Amino acid sequence: MRVLIVNCTLKPSPEKSNTEALADVVADALRGEGVEVASVRAVDHSIPPGVESEMGEGDEWPGIRAQILDSQILVFATPTWLGRPSSIAQRVLERMDAMLSETDDEGRPVAYNRVAGVVVTGNEDGAHHVISEVSGALADIGFTVPGQAWTYWNRGPGPGDSYLESEEGREWSHSTGKAAAANLLAVARALERMPIPAPPSE
Amino acid sequence: MRVLIVNCTLKPSPEKSNTEALADVVADALRGEGVEVASVRAVDHSIPPGVESEMGEGDEWPGIRAQILDSQILVFATPTWLGRPSSIAQRVLERMDAMLSETDDEGRPVAYNRVAGVVVTGNEDGAHHVISEVSGALADIGFTVPGQAWTYWNRGPGPGDSYLESEEGREWSHSTGKAAAANLLAVARALERMPIPAPPSE
Amino acid sequence: MRVLIVNCTLKPSPEKSNTEALADVVADALRGEGVEVASVRAVDHSIPPGVESEMGEGDEWPGIRAQILDSQILVFATPTWLGRPSSIAQRVLERMDAMLSETDDEGRPVAYNRVAGVVVTGNEDGAHHVISEVSGALADIGFTVPGQAWTYWNRGPGPGDSYLESEEGREWSHSTGKAAAANLLAVARALERMPIPAPPSE
Amino acid sequence: MRVLIVNCTLKPSPEKSNTEALADVVADALRGEGVEVASVRAVDHSIPPGVESEMGEGDEWPGIRAQILDSQILVFATPTWLGRPSSIAQRVLERMDAMLSETDDEGRPVAYNRVAGVVVTGNEDGAHHVISEVSGALADIGFTVPGQAWTYWNRGPGPGDSYLESEEGREWSHSTGKAAAANLLAVARALERMPIPAPPSE
């Protein structure tokens, strides 16, 4: 059982990422269950725009794609900008769009029997919408979204502190993140034991 | 294994519901697998506004709520109005909001280990958004949303025919609906065998 | 110049409405400019589901519709439930859907040259999405949405106090509400002086 | 009176852009009214991620930003990917986020008294949501969104042709685009004559 965290912050390393910090709570909870967790900060890689799995020379998406398909659990972490998922998050989803027509040996879309959760931070209101947008896109692609498999932090109303700048509300965000980790793991294990079969042929 | 279809059309019986007609494709596929399928047209019942499981005399929500909790699979069917889920759909979700704080004998939110899918019709563009809105809300409440557990029909651009008025595009909507049925059933069975445990206590 | 506030709280009168309380800040600012402000709490009226301007006996929508069309400024106020506009808000929008095909003497959709703003409260994250959903629907119908013509209050992360239960963050919500009032009034006056003409005929 | 079309296709020049082709209908209608129209294909420029107006060496955003502020009408054109605005569209919005705190000589946010419309294409359902997302973000920044100032093309259900691959439905998309052009121009002219004043000071 492997987990990949894809962090869609706009900030290249080594800048501090609020989103990474909150995603780490979920990662730690998963590691505590003996699961292997890797992570990638998408903005550190060259990911050209497009909806194909390979977009030519210099494209670093194929390596990230391989990590996603090598994992049973995807934790999709993104900041909130203008109330919506980051441009990096949408870029990652667009490249994952190609998975819609890629199938495994049994004819199943490659995302089947993988589960996905969402972690969102922001300096203002918007997290629930971001969670719906991201998990809606991932379910379209074929990921299963377990109940309550997300957490977020922001503090309204209006623009304000980022996650790392405030101690307020962390307890809720962390306990919600730990529940998300448990739910992701439980559903991933259930699908490992009893996988979704190939779609019915007409 | 039981399925409940909640049809959130605006039209009271016996008016023909496009949404019901498309939901029937999913229902038939599930029945074909030997699963028991019931359905309810929410607008035929008195469901007062509110976010409690019981809102007083004349409230017919408790009966629908009991049917939801008596089923392992929820198929949430709604038309698209102004690009969004119907007011009846939002009413049903609001009443389900109470499930957030209702737990089973093991301390799990009552929606845990249930799966949900979405069926959408419309006379114009909007289905993917409606699917994200509804499945986002249901995942918040605790339902697990299997990958590709939805179907829809509309025919753009601009306002046009409803599902029952056109033969176009039905093949895609029906085969997508059958795949949705299969995916709902597979994940429901996996969670029946290996259920999500109670959330970690702090 | 007249303003109508449509409050889409789920709570019938005389229950206290958080949404009304915040909408009153916008109303007071408009009254301070000498503008006449009326308001209606939609849930106090019988508004059957449908997408026609008249849905038969007992339908109280026609009176609200007349008030909307008697005003140049619409302030659409709604709570946030499950991260989305209330079922009452969607009901009002559905009934307004009929305005898409209703035109004035010059062939313009009846909503043209009217402006709309949004007020949102909630006990959790979701306001920006609710504002986009409501103002998107109103712009579809033909209302002009001035820049920064909204305000909201909620306090995350996670569920918490409602607007009337907390003093926190009010200053921002109120000053944003006063700016919304000013922007609504400015654009309404500009359109009164130089109205949008009828759509080009083909 | 100047118009800028920002095309947020994922395809670099000289690839054919469906979005550009539909945006040209709006552009032509505006030119027919004697208005100057320029356009930029954002993906052809280096626009690093971030939320500042200048992000350092090689950043080509400042030139696009200058063109936006040199125009009274912004036509924001984007394809639909996974039911949502493109990553390029979100990138542009993120860079525009800085405009929230940039003011003119009279203390008004720089986007005030500018109007914005949206053009959307796609090979599947999603346009209304994309329109709401983009116009919601632009209204947050301060743009005024005239009623019915958008058009779109897609043809459901399910994935299918792109705009340039089909003749179906074009008449509706084009006449809706011409109406959008007229509405954008009318509101821009009204705001030119009677501009929104600076926000009230506390």
Side-chain angles (χ1 to χ4, degrees):
Chain A
M1 189 67 60
R2 273 186 299 273
V3 180
L4 183 68
I5 296 176
V6 178
N7 176 10
C8 298
T9 176
L10 301 184
K11 296 174 194 153
S13 297
E15 274 190 74
K16 277 215 167 160
S17 159
N18 292 287
T19 305
E20 182 175 301
L22 184 55
D24 279 346
V25 172
V26 179
D28 287 347
L30 286 162
R31 282 195 193 96
E33 296 293 326
V35 181
E36 197 180 317
V37 181
S39 72
V40 59
R41 193 189 282 213
V43 75
D44 288 341
H45 300 270
S46 170
I47 308 177
V51 291
E52 307 291 333
S53 284
E54 308 207 3
M55 298 292 296
E57 207 184 311
D59 180 9
E60 298 181 34
W61 173 251
I64 299 173
R65 179 181 170 278
Q67 282 184 283
I68 292 172
L69 295 184
D70 205 39
S71 306
Q72 290 73 46
I73 299 176
L74 173 65
V75 176
F76 199 107
T78 178
T80 308
W81 288 111
L82 283 161
R84 303 161 222 282
S86 77
S87 57
I88 302 290
Q90 178 65 14
R91 178 69 50 87
V92 167
L93 292 171
E94 285 164 358
R95 297 301 301 272
M96 293 177 77
D97 187 275
M99 293 181 181
L100 275 164
S101 50
E102 296 168 347
T103 50
D104 66 14
D105 294 347
E106 302 188 33
R108 291 175 293 209
V110 290
Y112 270 42
N113 295 310
R114 301 178 199 282
V115 303
V118 188
V119 172
V120 179
T121 58
N123 70 343
E124 203 192 333
D125 171 276
H128 275 284
H129 178 54
V130 172
I131 293 164
S132 275
E133 290 290 274
V134 171
S135 52
L138 293 172
D140 275 13
I141 294 168
F143 286 85
T144 288
V145 178
Q148 300 182 348
W150 48 266
T151 189
Y152 79 89
W153 189 94
N154 69 43
R155 189 99 181 123
D161 283 340
S162 295
Y163 171 67
L164 289 168
E165 295 164 350
S166 167
E167 296 291 328
E168 292 187 317
R170 287 192 171 193
E171 194 180 352
W172 181 87
S173 299
H174 292 192
S175 71
T176 302
K178 286 170 196 167
N183 296 344
L184 285 163
L185 192 54
V187 178
R189 283 180 172 151
L191 293 177
E192 184 179 50
R193 183 77 69 82
M194 291 185 64
I196 304 174
S201 53
E202 294 302 298
Chain B
M1 188 70 59
R2 271 186 300 270
V3 179
L4 183 68
I5 296 176
V6 179
N7 176 10
C8 299
T9 176
L10 301 184
K11 297 173 193 153
S13 297
E15 274 191 75
K16 276 214 169 162
S17 159
N18 293 287
T19 305
E20 182 175 301
L22 184 55
D24 279 347
V25 173
V26 179
D28 287 347
L30 286 162
R31 282 195 192 96
E33 297 291 328
V35 182
E36 196 180 319
V37 181
S39 73
V40 60
R41 193 188 283 212
V43 74
D44 288 341
H45 299 270
S46 170
I47 308 177
V51 291
E52 306 292 331
S53 284
E54 310 207 1
M55 298 291 297
E57 207 184 312
D59 180 9
E60 298 181 36
W61 171 253
I64 299 172
R65 179 182 171 279
Q67 282 184 281
I68 292 173
L69 296 184
D70 205 39
S71 306
Q72 291 73 46
I73 298 176
L74 173 66
V75 176
F76 199 107
T78 177
T80 308
W81 288 113
L82 284 162
R84 303 159 222 284
S86 77
S87 58
I88 302 290
Q90 178 66 15
R91 178 68 49 87
V92 167
L93 291 171
E94 284 164 359
R95 297 301 300 271
M96 292 177 77
D97 187 275
M99 294 181 180
L100 275 165
S101 50
E102 296 169 346
T103 49
D104 67 14
D105 293 348
E106 301 188 36
R108 291 175 294 208
V110 289
Y112 271 43
N113 296 310
R114 301 177 199 281
V115 303
V118 187
V119 173
V120 179
T121 57
N123 69 344
E124 204 192 332
D125 172 275
H128 274 284
H129 178 53
V130 172
I131 293 164
S132 274
E133 290 290 275
V134 171
S135 52
L138 293 173
D140 274 13
I141 294 168
F143 285 85
T144 288
V145 178
Q148 300 183 347
W150 48 266
T151 189
Y152 79 88
W153 190 94
N154 69 44
R155 187 100 181 125
D161 282 340
S162 293
Y163 171 67
L164 288 169
E165 296 163 350
S166 168
E167 296 290 328
E168 294 186 315
R170 286 193 172 192
E171 194 179 351
W172 181 86
S173 298
H174 292 192
S175 72
T176 302
K178 285 169 196 168
N183 296 344
L184 285 163
L185 191 54
V187 178
R189 282 180 173 151
L191 293 178
E192 185 180 47
R193 183 78 67 82
M194 291 185 63
I196 304 174
S201 52
E202 295 302 298
Chain C
M1 189 68 60
R2 271 185 300 272
V3 179
L4 183 69
I5 297 175
V6 178
N7 176 11
C8 298
T9 176
L10 301 183
K11 296 174 194 154
S13 297
E15 275 190 75
K16 277 215 169 162
S17 160
N18 293 286
T19 305
E20 181 175 302
L22 184 55
D24 279 347
V25 173
V26 179
D28 287 346
L30 286 162
R31 281 196 194 96
E33 297 291 326
V35 181
E36 197 180 319
V37 181
S39 72
V40 59
R41 193 189 283 213
V43 74
D44 288 341
H45 299 270
S46 171
I47 307 177
V51 291
E52 307 291 333
S53 284
E54 307 207 3
M55 298 291 297
E57 204 184 313
D59 180 9
E60 298 181 35
W61 173 251
I64 299 173
R65 180 182 170 279
Q67 282 184 282
I68 292 173
L69 296 185
D70 205 38
S71 306
Q72 291 73 46
I73 299 175
L74 172 65
V75 176
F76 198 107
T78 177
T80 307
W81 288 111
L82 284 160
R84 303 161 222 282
S86 77
S87 57
I88 302 290
Q90 178 65 15
R91 177 68 50 87
V92 167
L93 292 170
E94 285 163 0
R95 296 302 300 272
M96 292 178 77
D97 188 275
M99 293 182 182
L100 275 164
S101 49
E102 296 168 348
T103 49
D104 66 15
D105 293 347
E106 302 187 35
R108 291 175 293 208
V110 290
Y112 270 43
N113 296 310
R114 300 176 199 283
V115 302
V118 188
V119 172
V120 179
T121 57
N123 70 343
E124 204 191 333
D125 172 275
H128 275 284
H129 178 52
V130 172
I131 293 164
S132 275
E133 290 290 275
V134 171
S135 52
L138 293 172
D140 274 13
I141 294 168
F143 286 86
T144 288
V145 178
Q148 301 183 347
W150 47 267
T151 189
Y152 78 88
W153 190 94
N154 68 45
R155 189 101 181 122
D161 283 339
S162 294
Y163 171 67
L164 288 169
E165 296 164 349
S166 168
E167 296 290 329
E168 293 187 317
R170 287 192 170 193
E171 194 180 352
W172 181 87
S173 298
H174 292 192
S175 72
T176 302
K178 285 170 197 168
N183 296 344
L184 285 163
L185 192 54
V187 178
R189 283 179 173 153
L191 292 177
E192 185 180 48
R193 183 78 67 84
M194 291 185 63
I196 304 174
S201 53
E202 293 301 297
Chain D
M1 188 69 59
R2 271 185 301 271
V3 179
L4 183 68
I5 297 176
V6 179
N7 176 10
C8 298
T9 176
L10 301 184
K11 296 174 194 154
S13 297
E15 276 190 74
K16 276 212 169 163
S17 160
N18 293 287
T19 305
E20 183 176 299
L22 183 56
D24 279 346
V25 173
V26 179
D28 287 346
L30 286 162
R31 281 195 194 97
E33 297 291 328
V35 181
E36 195 179 322
V37 181
S39 73
V40 60
R41 192 188 284 213
V43 74
D44 288 341
H45 299 269
S46 171
I47 307 176
V51 291
E52 306 292 333
S53 284
E54 308 207 1
M55 298 291 296
E57 206 183 312
D59 180 9
E60 298 182 34
W61 172 252
I64 299 173
R65 179 183 171 278
Q67 282 184 281
I68 293 173
L69 296 185
D70 205 38
S71 306
Q72 290 74 46
I73 298 176
L74 173 65
V75 176
F76 198 107
T78 177
T80 308
W81 288 111
L82 284 161
R84 303 159 221 284
S86 77
S87 57
I88 302 290
Q90 178 66 14
R91 179 68 49 87
V92 167
L93 292 171
E94 283 163 0
R95 296 302 300 272
M96 292 177 77
D97 188 276
M99 293 181 181
L100 276 164
S101 49
E102 296 168 347
T103 49
D104 67 14
D105 293 347
E106 301 187 36
R108 291 174 294 206
V110 290
Y112 270 42
N113 296 311
R114 301 177 199 281
V115 303
V118 188
V119 172
V120 179
T121 58
N123 69 344
E124 205 192 330
D125 172 275
H128 274 285
H129 178 52
V130 172
I131 293 163
S132 275
E133 290 290 274
V134 171
S135 52
L138 292 173
D140 275 12
I141 294 168
F143 286 85
T144 288
V145 178
Q148 301 183 346
W150 49 266
T151 189
Y152 79 87
W153 189 94
N154 68 43
R155 189 98 181 124
D161 282 339
S162 295
Y163 170 67
L164 289 168
E165 296 164 350
S166 169
E167 296 291 328
E168 294 186 315
R170 285 192 173 193
E171 196 180 351
W172 180 86
S173 299
H174 292 192
S175 72
T176 303
K178 286 170 197 167
N183 296 344
L184 284 163
L185 192 54
V187 178
R189 283 179 173 153
L191 291 177
E192 186 180 47
R193 183 77 68 82
M194 291 186 62
I196 304 173
S201 53
E202 294 301 297

